Amino acid sequence: MTKIGLEIHCQLTKLESKLFCSCKANYREFEPNQNICPICMGLPGSLPRLNQKAVESATSIAMALNCDTPEKIAFFRKNYFYPDLPKNFQITQLNVYGDMSVGGEGYVDVEGKKIRITRIQLEEDPGRLIYEGTSDRTKITLVDYNRAGTPLVEIVTEPDFENPRQVRVFLNILSDLLENLGVSEPGLEGAMRADGNVSIEGGNKVEIKNIGSFHDLEKALHFELTRQQSLSERGIDIIMETRHWDDRRKITISSRSKEEDQDYRYFLENDIPWVEINQETRDILKKNMPESISSKKERYVDKYDIAPQVADILSSDKYYSDLFENAHDDSNAKDIANLITTDLMGFVDTKEKRQNSKLTSQHLSDLINAMNSKTLTRTSSKIALQEIVKSGKSVKELLDEMDLGQVSDSSEIENIITQIFEDEKQAVIDAKERPETVNFLVGKVMQKTKGKADPVKTLELIKAKLS
Ligand SMILES: [Zn+2]
């Protein structure tokens, strides 16, 4: 049977400072090597000071992933030499004398299958190596330590995935969950990275490292499964090894043999005392956690009678659910939910569009009110919505400026209908014989009025004229 496990690294991008010093957690805005200090550079005599908020965020993640969280956590030094690691060790966690990492033994429900979470640990991100060209052919390698010491949460799963598709569904659930918790922005470049391990029936486990994005992870898993299957069919042993994903050629290539844990010479980081997270602290954290995606979804369906697919989209996307929560009241919740998931989605479907959007929740409730009071038709509201996203103008301003007001005046609509009946003689005959074709005529009226005619009244008037 195919077994896939994951190690996911997630930066706590919502924190102000790094894990052990006061340098900025948001290293992305700096010129190279400008977001560093003696602590994150590991200069002699410097001492780490643990970021309490990081411990709280990591514990919240553990709780949201149904993990056990221990009374006390400890940090370890993982010793290895690599140019992106200024101290020559990484401060991380290890469950060796009992459970001392922020969480363990959790699970995530993926389409009815329980994916077990082995453990969650808090650690520091290393710096970044920047190559001229590709890593295997570069003549120059540059090091940028701005990222060194950034708070990172590592989430390790059991090998419970049976195929790459399940992995993708899991990662989508996980990134929605992290965003909903308000601890990370998974969309930021490099904020979420994952390594995978893969084995097929009768074969050894192969780890795949160096995967830059979730999209590439799925490709790498597919490649690796196919490679292992073809070896197995030819009767060749699959050796236990670490392979690197070659982003350019889209293949995995064999790399150094994997270090065993003992090669890292783990030992307790004595510069950081054990951290107690007592029941009271955990209760407070639990109480302050935002409502979970599944609970939101349930509430939207039960309380507002929103369709389950709509509630699904709304609850899993923090941007939409925040808009919804601030815009709706008990009477218009369903309308606002539908407006977001039908019309708005197309206008804010990328991160850039969302950042540039001038839309507020007030706009949404104003739009729905205008539609419900028949000041705006649905078609016009879509035009208005697009304009609001661009300019941020109020619904009232747009009604005045853009001539979007709904045409409800019977004589005005009747005049247009008379005109259409002249132009579309065959359609009129058809509609008399087969009443279900009447929508063609309604459509013509809408076209002529640029969607502003009151659709209910239009249909009524056409039917009257046909009979
Ligand atoms: Zn620093």
Side-chain angles (χ1 to χ4, degrees):
M1 198 172 79
T2 299
K3 285 183 179 174
I4 303 172
L6 298 177
E7 279 177 25
I8 301 134
H9 286 102
C10 162
Q11 289 178 340
L12 301 174
T13 62
K14 292 281 191 174
L15 292 176
E16 274 297 309
S17 50
K18 289 186 179 179
L19 191 50
F20 302 112
C21 63
S22 56
C23 294
K24 292 268 184 251
N26 179 11
Y27 58 89
R28 291 174 175 83
E29 61 189 26
F30 290 90
E31 292 292 311
N33 296 310
Q34 297 299 306
N35 183 39
I36 55 174
C37 74
I39 297 172
C40 54
M41 293 302 289
L43 297 189
S46 66
L47 285 170
R49 212 168 72 176
L50 180 61
N51 182 339
Q52 187 190 338
K53 283 262 185 310
V55 176
E56 292 175 0
S57 297
T59 306
S60 304
I61 294 174
M63 288 171 168
L65 294 176
N66 308 298
C67 288
D68 296 335
T69 53
E71 289 272 339
K72 271 182 181 173
I73 60 166
F75 288 88
F76 285 77
R77 290 187 182 185
K78 179 182 182 180
N79 296 281
Y80 65 100
F81 175 80
Y82 206 65
D84 62 3
L85 197 67
K87 297 197 284 270
N88 287 345
F89 60 84
Q90 180 194 29
I91 304 180
T92 179
Q93 297 193 293
L94 186 70
N95 290 341
V96 66
Y97 312 118
D99 293 337
M100 293 182 291
S101 75
V102 288
E105 293 181 35
Y107 66 87
V108 174
D109 197 312
V110 176
E111 296 176 332
K113 183 180 166 69
K114 253 187 190 172
I115 301 295
R116 290 168 298 161
I117 306 287
T118 318
R119 68 171 184 282
I120 296 181
Q121 62 195 45
L122 182 57
E123 60 189 30
E124 55 181 343
D125 213 351
R128 265 169 7 110
L129 297 183
I130 295 148
Y131 307 103
E132 194 185 61
T134 56
S135 62
D136 53 340
R137 292 175 185 204
T138 189
K139 289 202 180 89
I140 299 172
T141 304
L142 300 165
V143 194
D144 177 7
Y145 289 116
N146 284 347
R147 193 178 75 178
T150 302
L152 199 64
V153 166
E154 179 173 323
I155 301 167
V156 182
T157 78
E158 294 290 318
D160 287 345
F161 300 96
E162 290 157 15
N163 54 57
R165 201 192 66 84
Q166 263 174 6
V167 169
R168 177 173 27 137
V169 177
F170 170 83
L171 291 174
N172 285 340
I173 294 174
L174 182 66
S175 48
D176 288 343
L177 179 145
L178 294 169
E179 191 156 36
N180 185 56
L181 273 179
V183 295
S184 184
E185 296 143 281
L188 279 181
E189 195 260 319
M192 274 183 101
R193 312 179 308 256
D195 297 334
N197 55 71
V198 179
S199 65
I200 60 168
E201 185 86 50
N204 280 308
K205 185 170 90 173
V206 173
E207 294 209 43
I208 320 168
K209 298 231 175 235
N210 195 36
I211 304 167
S213 69
F214 285 177
H215 183 65
D216 273 4
L217 173 67
E218 207 182 334
K219 279 195 208 152
L221 294 174
H222 270 297
F223 176 87
E224 189 51 30
L225 279 171
T226 312
R227 188 188 71 87
Q228 293 186 15
Q229 272 149 6
S230 87
L231 285 177
S232 159
E233 277 160 20
R234 285 181 283 155
I236 304 171
D237 278 348
I238 299 158
I239 52 167
M240 187 161 169
E241 63 175 343
T242 298
R243 298 178 69 86
H244 267 220
W245 173 243
D246 183 327
D247 180 40
R248 207 164 34 89
R249 288 181 286 171
K250 307 293 176 202
I251 57 171
T252 64
I253 38 178
S254 183
S255 62
R256 65 183 158 80
S257 60
K258 167 130 179 76
E259 284 98 344
E260 296 296 327
D261 272 354
Q262 60 260 32
D263 296 332
Y264 288 121
R265 302 288 184 271
Y266 278 101
F267 59 86
L268 264 173
E269 170 55 276
N270 283 314
D271 288 340
I272 303 169
W274 291 53
V275 183
E276 195 187 338
I277 309 173
N278 60 25
Q279 192 58 47
E280 195 193 339
T281 312
R282 281 181 282 174
D283 289 346
I284 293 171
L285 280 174
K286 194 140 227 172
K287 203 175 126 240
N288 291 339
M289 263 164 68
E291 186 182 10
S292 74
I293 290 172
S294 54
S295 145
K296 267 189 212 170
K297 183 183 167 187
E298 219 175 283
R299 182 163 58 86
Y300 295 166
V301 174
D302 293 348
K303 190 168 175 195
Y304 304 122
D305 192 30
I306 292 171
Q309 316 86 285
V310 173
D312 212 12
I313 298 171
L314 214 55
S315 56
S316 59
D317 187 315
K318 188 166 159 52
Y319 176 78
Y320 292 140
S321 68
D322 284 353
L323 273 175
F324 172 77
E325 293 292 347
N326 294 320
H328 82 277
D329 58 36
D330 285 355
S331 67
N332 64 14
K334 196 172 175 172
D335 292 335
I336 291 198
N338 290 333
L339 184 69
I340 292 175
T341 52
T342 50
D343 295 343
L344 180 64
M345 265 173 84
F347 302 139
V348 287
D349 55 354
T350 65
K351 200 173 141 229
E352 284 71 35
K353 286 187 199 166
R354 285 181 179 195
Q355 272 167 349
N356 296 329
S357 167
K358 303 276 196 311
L359 175 94
T360 65
S361 43
Q362 185 64 47
H363 285 121
L364 291 177
S365 53
D366 288 350
L367 268 179
I368 289 297
N369 288 343
M371 279 159 80
N372 289 346
S373 64
K374 307 229 165 201
T375 325
L376 260 184
T377 62
R378 231 193 85 77
T379 316
S380 302
S381 81
K382 195 168 177 179
I383 300 171
L385 194 58
Q386 189 168 22
E387 184 56 33
I388 289 167
V389 169
K390 250 189 273 167
S391 70
K393 285 184 179 161
S394 74
V395 173
K396 193 181 168 309
E397 272 177 293
L398 287 176
L399 278 171
D400 295 343
E401 272 177 31
M402 294 180 71
D403 182 30
L404 289 172
Q406 171 159 301
V407 178
S408 304
D409 181 55
S410 295
S411 61
E412 200 173 327
I413 299 176
E414 244 163 34
N415 285 339
I416 296 162
I417 291 174
T418 310
Q419 178 76 53
I420 300 284
F421 271 49
E422 283 286 310
D423 298 347
E424 304 288 345
K425 293 208 169 71
Q426 188 54 44
V428 173
I429 297 167
D430 288 350
K432 279 182 182 161
E433 282 168 11
R434 288 181 294 133
E436 70 272 17
T437 63
V438 72
N439 281 339
F440 176 80
L441 292 168
V442 177
K444 283 285 163 192
V445 175
M446 286 300 171
Q447 217 172 30
K448 193 126 196 149
T449 59
K450 298 202 182 79
K452 291 189 296 175
D454 178 343
V456 179
K457 196 162 263 178
T458 303
L459 182 62
E460 254 172 40
L461 290 169
I462 290 178
K463 277 186 177 164
K465 205 173 165 75
L466 284 171
S467 60

